[in-house]
Amino acid sequence: MRFRTEVDIPSQQVRINYSTPVMFIGSCFAGEMAALMKEGLMPVLSNPSGVIYNPFSVSATLRNMISGKLFTRDDLYFHNGRWLSFAHYTMFSSDSIDRCLEMINMANSEASIFLRKASFLFVTFGTARIYRRKDTGDIVSNCHKIPSSFFEREMPGPHAIAEDWSRLLGELRDYNPSLSVIFTVSPVRHWKDGAHGNQVSKSVLFVAIEELLKHPSSPSYFPSYEIVLDDLRDYRFYADDLLHPSAAAVNYIWEKLCKAYLDKPATGLWQEISDVTRATGHKPAGITVGETTRFALGMLERIATMESRNPGIDFSGLREHFEGLT
């Protein structure tokens, strides 16, 4: 007997390995998937402008990468003693305008180079709702806790999203013909919109993506939302805020993604490296200096073995950590 509706994902013909750079962009859920890939030292870049929730801000961010945009003072806004960009997350803000622009332009330059060589681009939409500046009409990626009276709140329809992204998919194909685009909808609930408002917003995203899957560039879809809502379907798989997926849910989705997109050697190697990466946080109470040294030497031996088999992977960060414990 079956007691749950498991979401089956067809295996992809083109698979991810340690030679295929992958970019994740969009909501915080994209960051969680990218963090797991990074844990295994895979070539990955996540949200180079910070977390982005709506499709129009994601598309604007990707266009900035494609064009190699150089941000200037005119692109910044001064608020409460800090310079900020409405196209970037708060981590790019600074009390120094030069420092703010340096961080923004360095990140965009690195992302532009990475996108040119990337094999996969995972795009995670969180909400269809957008916020526009009243003074300029520009859609913002982040409101930076500026009073809501500064913005207009809107809900574009699926056609507007599909139209914008249809053009962008063509631009991405011209920029990197070998890039595979995978859409997904974040399972994180945007509860500020209310239960009904959240469902309406997600529905707009689903309809827009369904239209985009017809694009000649052949994008695909990964059902992260459905895995949480239809497969796991239990509050045990949510964090304490009851809005974000729990660590168990994130790991379950990661397993699904690995099975569908990673080749078997990459999956095995990821697990091997991930075990060592997670060991960097291993600090058992009451352990002696001698035991710590033995533990670190054992990890260094494992790292040396993996290095010898995989010379193209940079293990220096892990090696330095455990050398510091000997």
Side-chain angles (χ1 to χ4, degrees):
M1 295 178 65
R2 297 181 63 197
F3 293 98
R4 49 187 269 261
T5 52
E6 187 171 354
V7 177
D8 293 319
I9 306 166
S11 295
Q12 306 301 303
Q13 289 186 338
V14 180
R15 313 281 280 190
I16 296 171
N17 57 46
Y18 273 77
S19 299
T20 51
V22 181
M23 180 181 285
F24 286 83
I25 191 167
S27 78
C28 50
F29 179 76
E32 289 179 319
M33 292 294 102
L36 284 167
M37 193 168 280
K38 187 177 181 180
E39 187 177 277
L41 301 183
M42 300 191 79
V44 62
L45 182 64
S46 171
N47 278 334
S49 296
V51 178
I52 314 171
Y53 297 100
N54 76 78
F56 292 98
S57 290
V58 177
S59 66
T61 300
L62 286 166
R63 286 189 169 99
N64 289 337
M65 296 179 204
I66 292 171
S67 67
K69 176 179 171 64
L70 187 67
F71 286 78
T72 67
R73 183 190 186 108
D74 292 339
D75 297 302
L76 303 183
Y77 186 80
F78 192 68
H79 178 72
N80 281 349
R82 293 180 68 80
W83 292 94
L84 58 88
S85 165
F86 285 109
H88 293 79
Y89 204 61
T90 52
M91 63 185 177
F92 290 91
S93 303
S94 174
D95 55 5
S96 164
I97 188 171
D98 292 334
R99 177 58 180 155
C100 181
L101 288 172
E102 180 186 18
M103 290 189 293
I104 287 172
N105 286 321
M106 183 180 297
N108 194 60
S109 176
E110 292 173 353
S112 180
I113 294 169
F114 191 95
L115 182 61
R116 175 78 75 178
K117 64 182 182 181
S119 299
F120 292 84
L121 173 64
F122 284 85
V123 178
T124 303
F125 295 150
T127 178
R129 296 186 189 277
I130 62 171
Y131 288 83
R132 289 186 188 272
R133 291 175 58 176
K134 288 182 178 179
D135 58 344
T136 65
D138 294 336
I139 298 172
V140 303
S141 299
N142 194 298
C143 295
H144 296 279
K145 296 184 179 180
I146 292 174
S148 60
S149 58
F150 190 78
F151 306 98
E152 294 280 1
R153 190 165 176 264
E154 300 175 16
M155 170 78 88
H159 177 72
I161 296 170
E163 189 175 48
D164 178 54
W165 268 86
S166 183
R167 291 194 300 270
L168 178 60
L169 287 173
E171 294 165 26
L172 285 167
R173 183 172 54 181
D174 292 340
Y175 188 73
N176 180 352
S178 63
L179 184 69
S180 296
V181 178
I182 302 99
F183 290 105
T184 186
V185 173
S186 171
V188 178
R189 292 165 167 157
H190 283 255
W191 212 245
K192 287 188 293 185
D193 298 331
H196 177 70
N198 173 69
Q199 291 299 93
V200 171
S201 173
K202 299 290 188 185
S203 297
V204 168
L205 298 176
F206 284 124
V207 174
I209 291 173
E210 192 66 20
E211 186 65 27
L212 289 169
L213 295 180
K214 303 172 188 174
H215 193 272
S217 62
S218 302
S220 58
Y221 178 72
F222 179 76
S224 57
Y225 181 92
E226 294 85 344
I227 290 170
V228 175
L229 272 293
D230 295 317
D231 185 343
L232 299 179
R233 203 194 300 180
D234 193 304
Y235 272 107
R236 288 178 299 164
F237 298 106
Y238 279 89
D240 289 344
D241 65 1
L242 304 181
L243 302 177
H244 289 77
S246 67
V250 170
N251 288 331
Y252 181 72
I253 296 169
W254 169 249
E255 290 174 6
K256 290 279 191 179
L257 189 147
C258 287
K259 187 176 180 181
Y261 286 95
L262 270 65
D263 66 20
K264 288 186 177 180
T267 302
L269 181 56
W270 177 88
Q271 186 62 65
E272 197 174 353
I273 296 174
S274 174
D275 288 344
V276 176
T277 300
R278 294 182 183 187
T280 60
H282 183 60
K283 297 178 181 178
I287 194 168
T288 66
V289 174
E291 288 171 326
T292 298
T293 300
R294 283 193 294 274
F295 171 73
L297 290 174
M299 289 294 111
L300 287 169
E301 190 174 320
R302 290 177 65 175
I303 291 168
T305 300
M306 290 189 290
E307 273 186 313
S308 66
R309 297 199 317 258
N310 306 280
I313 300 175
D314 183 8
F315 289 90
S316 59
L318 290 176
R319 189 172 60 251
E320 288 170 8
H321 173 84
F322 290 108
E323 284 176 346
L325 298 178
T326 59

